Amino acid sequence: MNFELTEEQQLIGQSAREFGKQHLEPIAVELDHTGTFPKAVVNGLAKHDFLGLLLPAEVGGAEAGFVSYVEVIENLSRYSAAVASIVNNHTIAAYTIQNWGTAEQKKQYLPGMAKGEILGGFAIYEHGPTPGVGANALVAVKQDVGYVLNGKKAFVRNAGEANVYVVFATTDPAAGAKALTAFIVKADAIGIKIGEKLETMGLKGCPVADITFENVVIPENALLGAINEGGAISAKALAVASVAEAAQTVGIGQAAVEHAAAYAKQRVQFGKPVATLQAIQTLLAEVATDCHLARLGMQNAAVLIEEGKPFEVEAAMIKSFLVRLGSKMLLDTCQVEGGFGYSEFMPLPRMFRDIAGTNLLDAPGDFPEKLIAASIA
Amino acid sequence: MAGIFVFSEDHALAGQLLTPALELKKSLAQPVIALALCEQDAKALAALGADKVVVLQSSGKWVEGFAEAVYSQVKAAEASIVLVGGTLRGKHVASYVAAKLNAGMTTDAKALRIEGGKLLATRVLYAGLAVCEEEVTLPAVATIRARTFLAPEAAATAGVIETVNAEPDARVTVDEVTSTSSEGIDITAATKLVAVGRGFRKKEDLKLAENLGGVLKAELACTRGVAEDDHWLPIERYIGISGQTVKPELYLAVGLSGQVQHMVGCRESKVIVAVNNDERSPIFEAADYGIVGDLYEVLPLLTAALGK
Amino acid sequence: MPKCLVCYKWTLDEQDIKIKPEDLSLDSSRAKGKISDFDRNAIEEAALLVEKNGGAVDALTYGTPTVKLSLKDALSRGPEKAYWIADASADAADGCVTANVLAAAIRKLGQYDVILCGEGSSDLFNQQTAPRLAALLGLPCLSFVNKLSVEGDVVKATRKLEDCMETVTVKGPVVISVLSEINKPRIPSLKQVLGASKKPNEEIKIADLGLKPEDLQPKAVRKSVKGFVMQRKNVIYKESSAADNVAKLKSSLVSEGLC
């Protein structure tokens, strides 16, 4: 059993770290303040092949594998989890097209997505009880020319900036979620109304908004996968996404513990650096431990994804772990830094708000514990 | 083997090299031979105590082109030590000579002595993180930076001067030499310095530091970013690992964080004072005295207080 | 179409080196390896030259057996092929040994138009390799270069010295050392990282270099290495009133005889 990354994976992580240091670190604070989509940075990511990381070489991707991917996400998240979110949202859309798209669909979208010329978004959630159910559920009605979409999608990531969305709609309101079907919808389709950008607690700069579909006509070949396959597709995609989000959480946690440790070595109270005080040592140790174990769990799930093996239980476990302990990493590191951990001119408060977001996002199954329990009992 | 050689194209530095050379002479009992590029420099070096000064005369003016001539002199005398002024040109020449001699070379020695028949030099490693002692078998080459030593007092008897011809290095054509030193200030000579970092928001704000420098009678210095990135001050005022090294009586660091790459250039200052609004800045660990506060508030108050 | 060779060193990242408080000795057990900072600029400059003029870049490195970890890193930054010499002698190698080994390897590899080095290594910063190599190979050396161009077999460079900028021209093969300001090394894209494993690397055995044992004996030996620790008074004034702090500092400066 080898716990070490391969040379390639290490070098890819190093490239991501260098990119983060050079391009993300200088803009992270401003991005958090303005929430303005960082177009230049996203273009830079594209140039370094980060946006096509998982895609095969024949469409212009780097074909690097999922473990390399989470290495990138973790390292980018150390500097700006918001930018890492943009990459994640785009990548999960590309991943879905790559795995369920027809040859034509892949040819139409993936080369552009690999180059970052086409940015992807993912529209699954709704305000109703579950996607496909409720008054505002997104409904796709089959017609001669293709499908007509009506309804509303909630919390769409990369909303407004994406050029193409992977969208889930029910083709039969009576069947609701069981008839959930995936479609590829171009952002410039007539009738798409991007709602007001949501003011989120953290991960600012990664746009989130509702999208209303008013008689949006999409062609026949916009169907992604089979009719009624949307449930299975979204479940798989969200499970994969949750591992990538765990990588974000680990990246944020790592940055936080390094920052707090450096602070504790400098801050002198009672005649010596606070890093020598047991209370501080305990906090730092717990955070470092949780982060380390979370990384191992996340990497384990990533390896399984890369090897095409069942991974949902492992993904659920790391999700469950981080829902419980992810934010604690930031609660504790803020505590270490005392007043500075509460001051917005320092990075921890931003990280605190960001990590609350990475833990909230997608999950395998309805909720992770259900899946885990089902696997053992 | 006989001869402790001294060479620098910078005549002031060449004079300073005579101090360690004359010290080594006591241990080795060998003559101190200086190499000069013109008659005038030679006379000065002879007066400071070199036993012999050899003027290398050449039609070429490129300093690095004299490396072969330096080597010939050193080889002919079977020198045991070659001290070269640690300018960039000097390091180029010294390395060439060391290679031709198949000799060891210690770069930027801070102290030198003979021990057990070898040259023992003290120098800095890992971007200033560590200090080490390097033992070099003879013949040994060493570069020494300006102002590491002070030039000796004038000698009782001046040394002899001779002239030899040196072939220029025909392979390299010097097209143009553009002087970059403006103002001619030498901050390494200042006894007090006020150093500014990027805590200052704009160029005009440096006036606060200038005012303080005025009442303290201190020169202005800065970190790399202020000189090379912002271009608020000329490069001669930049203190750090690839800039100047200074040893003033007072080094007052304002709005700079005190990273190793900067501090290695000023950490031998007698008294270091810091003004910074971030209590966690490494500069406070490196300071004798400091104020945690906003420089925009502190500097005018300090200037007023010291001006009385 | 210049044939370029860039020499680089695999060093310990000095940021990871810790000073042990008990005896000030250095603990590099957790230090990761990296291509020396200035050598990255040299590699980048070689890559830029080739992008502009055609030709190809080879990389050459001499280090302890860990040097194998550097190959993919180097190959992801532009060179087409990496030559490496891995030998325990590298650990204690001084400027003399390093230059002897590299020069012998270069003689074996054949003619290069431009041989690039960083101005010094980020760990020891001896700043000797390029001029030493030039002396041993009988080539001219242009050191401390911050701008470089090649036209046919003519090399033009601008050297940045303490008090001036010097433009020089050399015809034919030359050894060059570059300053860090000459360029900004690219962050390897993922394709470049993955492409590195497809590029060739070749080991050169030190025994095949025809060196005498004394050529591998360092003439400069590090005897004692101690962490530099600042011993300062650390009297920091942080009252809430700036005026109070200033008054206290003034009396401290007066007591030091500085004003």
Side-chain angles (χ1 to χ4, degrees), chain B residues 180-246:
Chain B
T180 50
S181 56
S182 55
E183 308 162 53
I185 13 94
D186 181 5
I187 56 159
T188 62
T191 47
K192 294 190 196 144
L193 287 169
V194 172
V196 301
R198 283 164 125 187
F200 287 82
R201 291 192 283 268
K202 35 187 213 299
K203 187 174 177 182
E204 295 69 48
D205 297 344
L206 295 184
K207 193 95 186 57
L208 294 171
E210 275 172 39
N211 293 341
L212 180 58
V215 301
L216 276 174
K217 298 211 190 4
E219 277 287 354
L220 213 55
C222 65
T223 57
R224 193 197 64 80
V226 171
E228 284 192 3
D229 296 337
D230 300 328
H231 304 289
W232 290 351
L233 287 175
I235 206 79
E236 296 93 293
R237 294 192 187 262
Y238 147 43
I239 289 175
I241 190 141
S242 52
Q244 308 271 30
T245 303
V246 292

Side-chain angles (χ1 to χ4, degrees), chain A residues 32-58:
Chain A
D32 182 58
H33 285 166
T34 65
T36 309
F37 187 76
K39 193 112 184 79
V41 161
V42 174
N43 289 340
L45 287 164
K47 261 180 64 192
H48 282 84
D49 307 318
F50 289 125
L51 295 185
L53 195 153
L54 290 177
L55 297 175
E58 61 256 23

Side-chain angles (χ1 to χ4, degrees), chain B residues 69-153:
Chain B
V70 171
Y71 164 66
S72 300
Q73 289 297 309
V74 164
K75 180 100 175 121
E78 289 189 6
S80 35
I81 305 272
V82 183
L83 301 181
V84 180
T87 59
L88 297 179
R89 294 194 194 273
K91 289 176 193 181
H92 179 134
V93 170
S95 303
Y96 178 96
V97 171
K100 296 288 272 220
L101 289 172
N102 205 16
M105 171 173 149
T106 187
T107 308
D108 294 350
K110 294 205 169 290
L112 299 155
R113 67 179 192 281
I114 300 291
E115 205 174 273
K118 298 190 187 176
L119 179 70
L120 215 61
T122 310
R123 66 180 299 261
V124 161
L125 297 179
Y126 300 116
L129 183 75
V131 171
C132 85
E133 281 217 311
E134 208 163 51
E135 189 183 75
V136 192
T137 42
L138 306 186
V141 179
T143 65
I144 296 171
R145 287 182 73 163
R147 247 163 279 280
T148 308
F149 296 94
L150 293 171
E153 298 289 318

Side-chain angles (χ1 to χ4, degrees), chain C residues 4 23-24 81 108 127 225 236 245 255:
Chain C
C4 297
D23 58 356
L24 295 184
K81 183 169 181 179
K108 211 171 139 76
Q127 295 174 293
V225 182
I236 311 300
N245 290 329
S255 68

Side-chain angles (χ1 to χ4, degrees), chain A residues 125 231-246 297 301 305 310-323 358-375:
Chain A
Y125 299 114
I233 295 175
S234 63
K236 185 88 180 279
L238 291 176
V240 171
S242 72
V243 177
E245 281 139 23
I305 293 175
F311 69 94
E312 282 82 349
V313 173
E314 286 78 1
M317 285 180 167
I318 184 65
K319 180 76 187 181
S320 168
F321 183 85
L322 286 175
V323 162
T358 62
N359 285 328
L360 261 185
L361 302 170
D362 316 302
D366 296 338
F367 62 96
E369 289 75 13
K370 179 172 169 185
L371 212 156
I372 301 166
S375 78

Side-chain angles (χ1 to χ4, degrees), chain B residues 178-183 234-236, chain C residues 160-165:
Chain B
T178 323
S179 172
T180 50
S181 56
S182 55
E183 308 162 53
I235 206 79
E236 296 93 293
Chain C
K160 184 176 172 187
L161 302 162
E162 289 93 333
D163 57 355
C164 68
M165 301 282 265

